[in-house]
Amino acid sequence: MSDTIVAVEKVSKRFAGRIALDSVDIDVTRGSITGVIGPNGSGKSTLFNIIAGTLRPDTGRVLVDGRNITSASAAEICGLGVARTFQISRLFAEMTVLENLVAVARGRDDRAAIALAMELLEFLEIADIADRWGAELSYGQRKLVEIARALMLQPKVMLLDEPFAGVNPRLQNRIVEHLRTLCAKGITVFFIDHEMRIVLNECDLVYVLAEGRLIAHGDTATVRNDARVLQAYF
Amino acid sequence: MNRMKKVNSLGVAGVAGVAALVLPFIGSDYTVSFSIQLLIFLVLAYSWNWIGGYAGYTHFGQVGFFGIGAYVGSLLNFHLGVPWYFAAIIAGLAGALTAIPLGGAMLRLKGPFFAIGMFGLTRVLEAFALGFDSVTGGGTGIYLKPVSDLRPVYYVVAAVAGVMLFLTWKLDNSRLGLKLLAIREDEDAAESLGIPTTRLKIGTFVASAIAPAAMGSLYAVYLGFIDPPTAFAPNIELTTIAMVLLGGMGTVLGPLCGAVVLSVVNELLWANYPQIYLASVGVIILLAVLFMPRGIVSLGMKTGWVTVSRPLFRRLAARHGEALS
């Protein structure tokens, strides 16, 4: 089994002629916490949408566990063990938290789905809001429920789109702890965020995008001292 | 408390079932005739609620399946002498068979495009029924042998309505129902989370075409006649949608409340104020949508008379909690 679980190879994407991604290469190592940073408009969310199958690249390909998923549907990619959260919460507002989780569960057994959902809510310390409607939740609660909902898919890879954005530092630390626990269980965490404190402290590997191009990558020390990163980001 | 509510629900269902059984024997011919119409609309409302209320694919094309069923059933009965109840089953299957390719093609559209596209398709079907007069009788229509006793028709329609109510309750308390609601709320997010949206939409669309087609066939039996303007009447479509809106979209009891209230109001206004009947119905629907956008059942939920939808998952979660403690 290869060490790379997600491989992005020479992926490019344009919107109305404007470059969103330009021949980007990324390798996500199995069981790692990998981060992508970059200024607004650098192509981070486009990259995630291409990996998750909601956008098709103009050129290049994406491999998950060695399998080419470039033209697979979002549901098929999800079926391969890639689960995601969204930059702006997309919880199902007219469902309860529990229903949000149970709706995406696999398998036929309702009781097993509910048991797993409750277990995940307890793991994330939000079991007390299981009965609340999606529309009633605070911003931070939504972020946690989205993580729980992605975990319902029992994924190999979690794509987290800005999981720390707009979340208070205490909750950020809680999310970090949960992500570490998930990683210890063998789940690969691949996330986008602007929260440099977390990205530069917690990631095994960091990729930096600017204007659709990959300008640097490496461990946190390498990225922290890269002149191009300092110029683009600070 | 929950047990009390369950007992109450079962009691209400039992009384309603007994009333439905004895109604043809204690009611007048008019009552039976009115009940058949109400129940046909009830079935149409439940079918529309699956695709429009749960999956969120509102459309103006259900009457197309109603019309297809009316013609399939009538032609089988008229030309081949197939018994009306058997013809209704075949009509239902014909509705499903037609819905498979139509769903595959039309469900690529979303929102108003799907709604209007289905309306257009229904008008095309009506034009076909008018044009192929060698088969359908064209504008002259088809006259069926009159049914001397409407009670068997009543029982069949009532049984189908009961089945639709039961199936909607099952759907509401199933993960399939949640997946359809997820499609209604955010189809792209649902797809990204592994919900097979295309398969579910087409499946629901096909399932929601069966009963309307069967009802079309039974409606022709009830009238003893069918022609294109009757089989594909836009009024049937609009009344059905109004019933679901009035009762509450994507709920178990919404279509029942909407169909009963609107049918009774329709009948009373028609009997007492025929000149302003249509305008009055329009005003009632407008007021209901403005002041009660979630339908009559939302009033019941606010007052605690009706439990919030989908109680099964809450019960199972509560049991899970009890098992752990």
Side-chain angles (χ1 to χ4, degrees), chain B residues 13-75:
Chain B
V15 170
V18 171
L21 276 175
V22 300
L23 186 136
F25 295 100
I26 57 171
S28 62
D29 287 349
Y30 162 76
T31 311
V32 174
S33 174
F34 170 71
S35 301
I36 290 173
Q37 285 189 50
L38 189 157
L39 289 167
I40 285 175
F41 272 113
L42 183 57
V43 172
L44 294 179
Y46 270 113
S47 298
W48 193 90
N49 190 38
W50 289 352
I51 186 77
Y54 281 91
Y57 272 73
T58 56
H59 72 94
F60 301 101
Q62 191 186 51
V63 75
F65 300 114
F66 184 85
I68 288 169
Y71 272 99
V72 168
S74 300
L75 290 169

Side-chain angles (χ1 to χ4, degrees), chain A residues 90 93-94 99 103 107, chain B residues 175 178-179 185-186 310 314:
Chain A
R90 289 171 81 169
E94 293 194 22
E99 288 169 348
Chain B
R175 273 193 285 154
L178 290 181
K179 287 176 197 294
E185 292 212 27
D186 189 338
R310 313 189 294 277
R314 284 185 185 76

